[in-house]
Amino acid sequence: MTRCCVLILLLPLFAGAQKFSAADLRQLKTFSTGAFSNDVQVKADTHFVNAGLTVQPIWQKRKDGIWMFTERVDTGHFFQVWHFYLQDDTTLILQLLDFKETQKAVQLSREIKQESNLYLYHLFTRHGCEVYLKRNKTGYAGDSFGKDCFSNVPGIEYLAYHIEVKKNTISWQEGGFDKEDKAIPAFFAGQYEFIRQVKSLK
């Protein structure tokens, strides 16, 4: 009897789990491809610095998810590869990968067709930084979990991410924490809102 009661209590949890498919990956690819800027945000709040984000698909013949080359320009120039994939039919993940050699990223920035010269061994995975996405009314949103997203910045023990991908907007927030799990103020500039620009990709 007890076992039956436990199963009945768990049924709402299973029923509430979202189901994902290849259609969600295609939607994320469409939503995230383009040139984005936070110009509107900066005009409304000078606390934010002007930033641009360019996201382009790469490795489109691969069958293990959607791969995107990302280039962010604000106070510096940052490159990453985003990998959207299905861990299973209820788990949608954004995996963050960094370049081992900046020159490889610069080559892609100059000519995206150079993707054929980029291989997985040119990248390293940010283990523990995976963002677990959920579908909502406007798109997808998710967070990283735990304390395993380590930082190489002195004084910052681990990082946490909150990312949203909508039809014309990508929101990005990155936070740093110390050994006592206290937020590092300088690392919490707020959530950046990148809005798609009319101009086409280079």
Side-chain angles (χ1 to χ4, degrees):
M1 181 67 178
T2 302
R3 184 179 178 184
C4 291
C5 291
V6 171
L7 288 173
I8 291 172
L9 289 172
L10 289 176
L11 278 174
L13 296 177
F14 290 121
Q18 289 186 342
K19 294 287 186 178
F20 299 106
S21 69
D24 292 290
L25 295 177
R26 291 192 295 270
Q27 187 79 284
L28 281 163
K29 178 182 177 182
T30 299
F31 282 1
S32 61
T33 299
F36 302 79
S37 169
N38 74 330
D39 288 348
V40 173
Q41 182 180 42
V42 171
K43 289 177 181 178
D45 187 349
T46 55
H47 171 74
F48 291 92
V49 300
N50 192 261
L53 178 68
T54 303
V55 186
Q56 303 181 74
I58 58 173
W59 296 342
Q60 298 191 61
K61 293 183 179 180
R62 291 185 67 108
K63 304 298 183 183
D64 56 351
I66 301 298
W67 297 82
M68 313 293 286
F69 170 61
T70 71
E71 181 177 358
R72 192 179 84 248
V73 181
D74 42 50
T75 55
H77 213 133
F78 307 94
F79 304 96
Q80 267 189 336
V81 168
W82 293 356
H83 179 207
F84 296 103
Y85 71 97
L86 298 174
Q87 180 172 288
D88 53 55
D89 64 355
T90 62
T91 312
L92 178 58
I93 293 177
L94 167 55
Q95 180 184 39
L96 306 176
L97 300 98
D98 290 331
F99 286 82
K100 293 179 180 178
E101 299 177 10
T102 304
Q103 185 57 34
K104 280 290 180 183
V106 172
Q107 289 173 358
L108 274 182
S109 176
R110 292 172 178 167
E111 179 53 71
I112 195 65
K113 292 180 181 178
Q114 291 291 327
E115 65 176 283
S116 59
N117 296 322
L118 180 71
Y119 300 94
L120 277 176
Y121 61 76
H122 290 131
L123 308 169
F124 63 86
T125 305
R126 309 266 316 272
H127 291 295
C129 303
E130 295 86 358
V131 175
Y132 292 79
L133 297 169
K134 292 295 182 182
R135 191 188 310 109
N136 55 37
K137 293 181 180 180
T138 57
Y140 301 83
D143 301 274
S144 58
F145 293 101
K147 305 176 183 180
D148 295 331
C149 184
F150 298 115
S151 169
N152 57 8
V153 179
I156 298 178
E157 189 71 11
Y158 65 95
L159 302 172
Y161 290 93
H162 175 77
I163 296 173
E164 299 178 23
V165 182
K166 305 175 185 177
K167 185 176 182 180
N168 291 305
T169 306
I170 295 177
S171 302
W172 177 281
Q173 184 166 5
E174 181 178 351
F177 296 84
D178 63 17
K179 292 182 178 179
E180 281 81 43
D181 299 328
K182 295 180 180 178
I184 308 297
F187 230 75
F188 272 91
Q191 182 167 295
Y192 276 74
E193 301 284 344
F194 295 98
I195 298 175
R196 188 188 307 278
Q197 302 300 289
V198 176
K199 64 181 181 180
S200 60
L201 290 170
K202 57 186 176 182

